Amino acid sequence: MTTYRAGVIGLNLGQSHVRGFDEADGVEVAAVCDIDESRLEDVADQYDVPGRYTDATAMLETESLDIVSVTTPAALHPMMTLLAARYPVQAIISEKPLANSMGEADAMLATCNAAGIKLLCGYQGRHMRAFERARGLIADGAIGKPLVVKVSVDEGGLLNQGSHLIDRSLYLLGDPEPLWVLGQVQRETDRYERGYYCEDLCFCIAAVEGGARIVYDNDIGPGGDVGNRAFVVTGDDGMLIVEPSIPAISMSYGVQLISGNRDDLDEPWDGVETNFMLAQANELVAWLNGDIDDHRQNAHHAIKSQSILMGLYESARTHTLVEVPIQTKLAPLEAAINEGSLKVRYPGAYDIRRPFVYAKDKVG
């Protein structure tokens, strides 16, 4: 059996990628890279990784890697992905979101396509059994024609938490192409997420092929009787709710179905947590081996959620409905801030994830 040599760039979130590769059959973690030498040594010692680097170029030039995970903050995803694509690797996993702009994400995908490299995005939530189950029920007509997917998150920002939820909405619907986005953004505090601009709250409606619409919001607060991060999928012959069975465990999703064409069902979480990183690695090995035709985290799917993310920001910036494909290639949230249309009313910069949450008065 072929064994693929993997390297990981960035070991904060990247520790989980190292663990997933370490647990998977057919992968060896050959090298890791981080600018924090202490963290580098700690992770490399824990997983007995021989190659240890503080410079990504040196790692790529030395190690003859097959797989590269880019798990830096999002602002560095394009740079590190394009760097890795210069070498004869077979697959690159960029953590989510692909980038902070449409132009960068398009360039990442086009470059990997041209080089014959399989590009993935870190939307590991697609491996949760509840979402597999719900996607299958929708595809089988359990709710008739899907009309609306509604989901929200109480706090966490669009590119941080919301990107996962918008991607899972597309996954539930069978990964249709987005058509247009209409959105609104508020940023009255000087809020950041891992060093990049973050809105205070936002909302959007996105239309997709087939007629369904995705309705999303973040940081506005609880929304009715459904729980935080719950997905309500309404069709013309039924409704599905994919919701955490235990509110304190955000990934404890179960499935409820009310259908006009079959028996209703209520399938709570089975208590078994999904090993996301192992699932990601196992499916990648199967894809590289030719055992499957696609990976559910293929960036050709992720570019669709990227379009909705950037379309939301661009719609708020221009006060217009934004059609997909998006023509604006620069970062629309950053552009809106620089243009002065999103003015800070309450000064004092703070970051919601450095590395996780710092108080406002602790971050300059």
Side-chain angles (χ1 to χ4, degrees), residues 137-148 173 208-213 233-239 261:
L137 287 166
I138 293 169
D140 193 45
I143 62 169
K145 180 182 178 180
L147 301 175
V148 178
L173 294 173
V208 299
E209 281 189 341
R213 296 187 179 181
V233 190
T234 305
D236 63 6
D237 198 25
M239 180 177 70
N261 60 64

Short mmCIF file of all heavy atoms in Angstrom, two decimals, residues 137-148 173 208-213 233-239 261:
data_model
loop_
_atom_site.label_atom_id
_atom_site.label_comp_id
_atom_site.label_asym_id
_atom_site.label_seq_id
_atom_site.Cartn_x
_atom_site.Cartn_y
_atom_site.Cartn_z
N LEU A 137 -31.56 12.17 2.95
CA LEU A 137 -33.02 12.30 3.01
C LEU A 137 -33.52 13.37 2.05
O LEU A 137 -34.54 13.18 1.36
CB LEU A 137 -33.44 12.64 4.44
CG LEU A 137 -33.35 11.50 5.47
CD1 LEU A 137 -33.48 12.04 6.88
CD2 LEU A 137 -34.43 10.44 5.20
N ILE A 138 -32.82 14.51 2.01
CA ILE A 138 -33.23 15.58 1.10
C ILE A 138 -33.11 15.12 -0.35
O ILE A 138 -34.02 15.34 -1.16
CB ILE A 138 -32.39 16.84 1.36
CG1 ILE A 138 -32.71 17.42 2.74
CG2 ILE A 138 -32.64 17.89 0.28
CD1 ILE A 138 -31.75 18.50 3.19
N ALA A 139 -32.00 14.45 -0.68
CA ALA A 139 -31.80 13.96 -2.05
C ALA A 139 -32.86 12.93 -2.43
O ALA A 139 -33.25 12.83 -3.61
CB ALA A 139 -30.41 13.36 -2.19
N ASP A 140 -33.37 12.20 -1.44
CA ASP A 140 -34.37 11.16 -1.68
C ASP A 140 -35.80 11.72 -1.73
O ASP A 140 -36.75 10.97 -1.89
CB ASP A 140 -34.27 10.09 -0.58
CG ASP A 140 -35.06 8.84 -0.92
OD1 ASP A 140 -34.96 8.36 -2.07
OD2 ASP A 140 -35.78 8.34 -0.04
N GLY A 141 -35.94 13.03 -1.56
CA GLY A 141 -37.25 13.64 -1.66
C GLY A 141 -38.06 13.66 -0.39
O GLY A 141 -39.28 13.88 -0.45
N ALA A 142 -37.43 13.46 0.76
CA ALA A 142 -38.18 13.36 2.02
C ALA A 142 -38.92 14.64 2.36
O ALA A 142 -39.95 14.59 3.05
CB ALA A 142 -37.24 12.98 3.16
N ILE A 143 -38.44 15.79 1.91
CA ILE A 143 -39.15 17.05 2.17
C ILE A 143 -39.65 17.67 0.87
O ILE A 143 -40.00 18.85 0.84
CB ILE A 143 -38.26 18.05 2.94
CG1 ILE A 143 -37.02 18.44 2.14
CG2 ILE A 143 -37.88 17.50 4.30
CD1 ILE A 143 -36.24 19.62 2.75
N GLY A 144 -39.67 16.89 -0.19
CA GLY A 144 -40.06 17.44 -1.48
C GLY A 144 -38.95 18.31 -2.04
O GLY A 144 -37.76 18.05 -1.84
N LYS A 145 -39.33 19.36 -2.73
CA LYS A 145 -38.36 20.30 -3.29
C LYS A 145 -37.88 21.23 -2.18
O LYS A 145 -38.68 21.92 -1.56
CB LYS A 145 -38.99 21.11 -4.41
CG LYS A 145 -38.04 22.12 -5.04
CD LYS A 145 -38.74 22.93 -6.13
CE LYS A 145 -37.80 23.97 -6.72
NZ LYS A 145 -38.45 24.77 -7.79
N PRO A 146 -36.55 21.29 -1.90
CA PRO A 146 -36.06 22.20 -0.86
C PRO A 146 -36.32 23.66 -1.24
O PRO A 146 -36.10 24.06 -2.38
CB PRO A 146 -34.56 21.90 -0.82
CG PRO A 146 -34.39 20.57 -1.44
CD PRO A 146 -35.48 20.46 -2.47
N LEU A 147 -36.79 24.42 -0.26
CA LEU A 147 -37.10 25.83 -0.49
C LEU A 147 -36.18 26.77 0.27
O LEU A 147 -35.69 27.75 -0.30
CB LEU A 147 -38.55 26.11 -0.09
CG LEU A 147 -39.63 25.30 -0.84
CD1 LEU A 147 -40.99 25.60 -0.24
CD2 LEU A 147 -39.58 25.58 -2.33
N VAL A 148 -35.95 26.48 1.58
CA VAL A 148 -35.17 27.39 2.42
C VAL A 148 -34.34 26.59 3.41
O VAL A 148 -34.83 25.62 4.00
CB VAL A 148 -36.09 28.35 3.23
CG1 VAL A 148 -35.25 29.24 4.14
CG2 VAL A 148 -36.93 29.21 2.29
N LEU A 173 -27.87 20.59 0.66
CA LEU A 173 -28.64 20.77 -0.56
C LEU A 173 -28.04 20.03 -1.75
O LEU A 173 -28.59 20.09 -2.86
CB LEU A 173 -28.78 22.26 -0.89
CG LEU A 173 -29.61 23.09 0.10
CD1 LEU A 173 -29.51 24.57 -0.24
CD2 LEU A 173 -31.06 22.63 0.12
N VAL A 208 -29.61 29.69 -4.68
CA VAL A 208 -28.80 28.66 -5.31
C VAL A 208 -29.60 28.00 -6.43
O VAL A 208 -30.83 28.11 -6.48
CB VAL A 208 -28.33 27.59 -4.30
CG1 VAL A 208 -27.48 28.22 -3.21
CG2 VAL A 208 -29.52 26.85 -3.69
N GLU A 209 -28.89 27.32 -7.32
CA GLU A 209 -29.56 26.60 -8.40
C GLU A 209 -30.55 25.59 -7.83
O GLU A 209 -30.28 24.95 -6.82
CB GLU A 209 -28.52 25.88 -9.26
CG GLU A 209 -27.82 26.78 -10.25
CD GLU A 209 -26.97 25.99 -11.24
OE1 GLU A 209 -26.64 24.83 -10.95
OE2 GLU A 209 -26.63 26.56 -12.29
N GLY A 210 -31.68 25.45 -8.47
CA GLY A 210 -32.72 24.56 -8.00
C GLY A 210 -33.84 25.27 -7.28
O GLY A 210 -34.87 24.68 -6.99
N GLY A 211 -33.61 26.55 -6.95
CA GLY A 211 -34.67 27.36 -6.37
C GLY A 211 -34.61 27.60 -4.88
O GLY A 211 -35.36 28.43 -4.35
N ALA A 212 -33.73 26.89 -4.15
CA ALA A 212 -33.66 27.08 -2.70
C ALA A 212 -32.91 28.36 -2.34
O ALA A 212 -32.12 28.89 -3.14
CB ALA A 212 -32.98 25.88 -2.04
N ARG A 213 -33.16 28.82 -1.13
CA ARG A 213 -32.43 29.99 -0.61
C ARG A 213 -31.88 29.66 0.77
O ARG A 213 -32.50 28.96 1.56
CB ARG A 213 -33.35 31.21 -0.55
CG ARG A 213 -33.79 31.65 -1.93
CD ARG A 213 -34.55 32.94 -1.97
NE ARG A 213 -34.89 33.26 -3.35
CZ ARG A 213 -35.54 34.36 -3.73
NH1 ARG A 213 -35.93 35.24 -2.81
NH2 ARG A 213 -35.80 34.58 -5.01
N VAL A 233 -34.40 23.06 7.42
CA VAL A 233 -34.52 22.94 5.97
C VAL A 233 -35.99 22.69 5.64
O VAL A 233 -36.54 21.65 6.00
CB VAL A 233 -33.65 21.79 5.42
CG1 VAL A 233 -33.61 21.85 3.90
CG2 VAL A 233 -32.24 21.85 6.00
N THR A 234 -36.61 23.64 4.97
CA THR A 234 -38.03 23.56 4.63
C THR A 234 -38.19 23.25 3.15
O THR A 234 -37.53 23.86 2.31
CB THR A 234 -38.73 24.88 4.96
OG1 THR A 234 -38.50 25.22 6.33
CG2 THR A 234 -40.22 24.77 4.71
N GLY A 235 -39.06 22.28 2.86
CA GLY A 235 -39.38 21.96 1.48
C GLY A 235 -40.86 22.09 1.22
O GLY A 235 -41.63 22.46 2.12
N ASP A 236 -41.29 21.75 -0.01
CA ASP A 236 -42.71 21.86 -0.33
C ASP A 236 -43.51 20.64 0.10
O ASP A 236 -44.72 20.57 -0.12
CB ASP A 236 -42.92 22.16 -1.81
CG ASP A 236 -42.42 21.05 -2.73
OD1 ASP A 236 -42.01 19.99 -2.23
OD2 ASP A 236 -42.42 21.25 -3.97
N ASP A 237 -42.82 19.67 0.76
CA ASP A 237 -43.54 18.49 1.26
C ASP A 237 -42.97 18.01 2.60
O ASP A 237 -43.04 16.83 2.92
CB ASP A 237 -43.47 17.36 0.23
CG ASP A 237 -44.52 16.28 0.48
OD1 ASP A 237 -45.57 16.60 1.10
OD2 ASP A 237 -44.31 15.13 0.05
N GLY A 238 -42.37 18.94 3.37
CA GLY A 238 -41.84 18.53 4.66
C GLY A 238 -40.78 19.47 5.18
O GLY A 238 -40.49 20.52 4.58
N MET A 239 -40.18 19.08 6.31
CA MET A 239 -39.17 19.90 6.96
C MET A 239 -38.18 19.01 7.70
O MET A 239 -38.56 17.99 8.28
CB MET A 239 -39.84 20.86 7.95
CG MET A 239 -38.87 21.78 8.68
SD MET A 239 -39.72 22.95 9.77
CE MET A 239 -40.33 21.85 11.05
N ASN A 261 -44.59 12.58 2.80
CA ASN A 261 -44.55 11.41 1.91
C ASN A 261 -43.95 10.16 2.56
O ASN A 261 -43.78 9.15 1.89
CB ASN A 261 -43.82 11.73 0.61
CG ASN A 261 -42.38 12.17 0.84
OD1 ASN A 261 -41.54 11.42 1.32
ND2 ASN A 261 -42.09 13.43 0.49
#
